[in-house]
Amino acid sequence: MENATLIPPALTTVSSEYFTLSEMMYKTSNGITENIEVLPVNFYNLLLTDLNNDPQAKRGLDRLNIKGEANRVNKHYDCNYSMFDGSSDVSACGSSLGPKEYGPCPKRETCKAHGLLCKIPGGLTVRQVQIAIRIALGQSDYQICLELFISQDTLRSHKNNIEEKIGAKGKVAIGVWAVKNKLI
């Protein structure tokens, strides 16, 4: 059994994993993946409750000028649950949401709601994410400072704070952490 592949729980249990691929939504549960047109009522209501209990996310939606309950819930889904990460988005009993997902986003660098609507892993700030991404991509300190218009001292301070938050030291550790946490 040493070569056995672990199948993510969302693929084999009655819990559900929702994801979006090429602008199409899917649901995976009990080993079956199906295309869905709209979020199921139960999942929608869980997302609405989660959103209503998160003032930061609501501020992010306001910054994006997203109006209307359905539009706000769908954007909350897009930013927090639309990746296929192999973990369940809805528990088997249907009463709770799984962990929020954070992954590569083409709008991250310019998104007015980054860090408000989506939850950044490790408690990093938006600027710390920008730095961690660049470190993971192998940029030099000089390149990072030029791109982000910051001094070497500011960069050093951010790197120290990142290291403290992720519990590891050095650029390699930051790069590995960034990859594992799907910053890139």
Side-chain angles (χ1 to χ4, degrees), residues 17-18 43 47 50-51 54 57-58 61 72-85 87-89 97-103 113 115-120:
E17 165 76 336
Y18 293 88
F43 186 38
L47 289 167
D50 187 57
L51 179 57
D54 189 342
K58 290 195 284 189
L61 289 166
R72 290 170 75 88
V73 169
N74 282 317
K75 184 63 175 173
H76 184 58
Y77 160 75
D78 285 341
C79 293
N80 293 289
Y81 292 97
S82 66
M83 285 182 40
F84 183 83
D85 68 346
S87 66
S88 300
D89 292 328
L97 291 172
K100 290 183 175 163
E101 305 157 351
Y102 187 86
L116 293 173
L117 183 55
C118 58
K119 299 300 177 222
I120 300 171

Side-chain angles (χ1 to χ4, degrees), residues 71-175:
N71 292 333
R72 290 170 75 88
V73 169
N74 282 317
K75 184 63 175 173
H76 184 58
Y77 160 75
D78 285 341
C79 293
N80 293 289
Y81 292 97
S82 66
M83 285 182 40
F84 183 83
D85 68 346
S87 66
S88 300
D89 292 328
V90 179
S91 63
C93 63
S95 64
S96 62
L97 291 172
K100 290 183 175 163
E101 305 157 351
Y102 187 86
C105 176
K107 298 175 186 172
R108 181 166 295 136
E109 291 283 325
T110 58
C111 182
K112 295 176 187 176
H114 183 220
L116 293 173
L117 183 55
C118 58
K119 299 300 177 222
I120 300 171
L124 270 58
T125 65
V126 172
R127 180 58 102 192
Q128 290 167 348
V129 167
Q130 292 170 336
I131 291 166
I133 288 169
R134 284 162 175 78
I135 289 171
L137 293 173
Q139 290 186 346
S140 70
D141 287 358
Y142 179 76
Q143 289 172 306
I144 295 170
C145 290
L146 278 179
E147 268 190 39
L148 298 179
F149 304 103
I150 59 175
S151 71
Q152 288 282 340
D153 287 340
T154 300
L155 177 59
R156 191 174 308 108
S157 177
H158 281 304
K159 286 194 303 189
N160 289 339
N161 290 332
I162 292 168
E163 290 171 340
E164 186 176 313
K165 288 179 179 181
I166 68 171
K169 297 273 185 207
K171 288 177 92 171
V172 171
I174 292 171

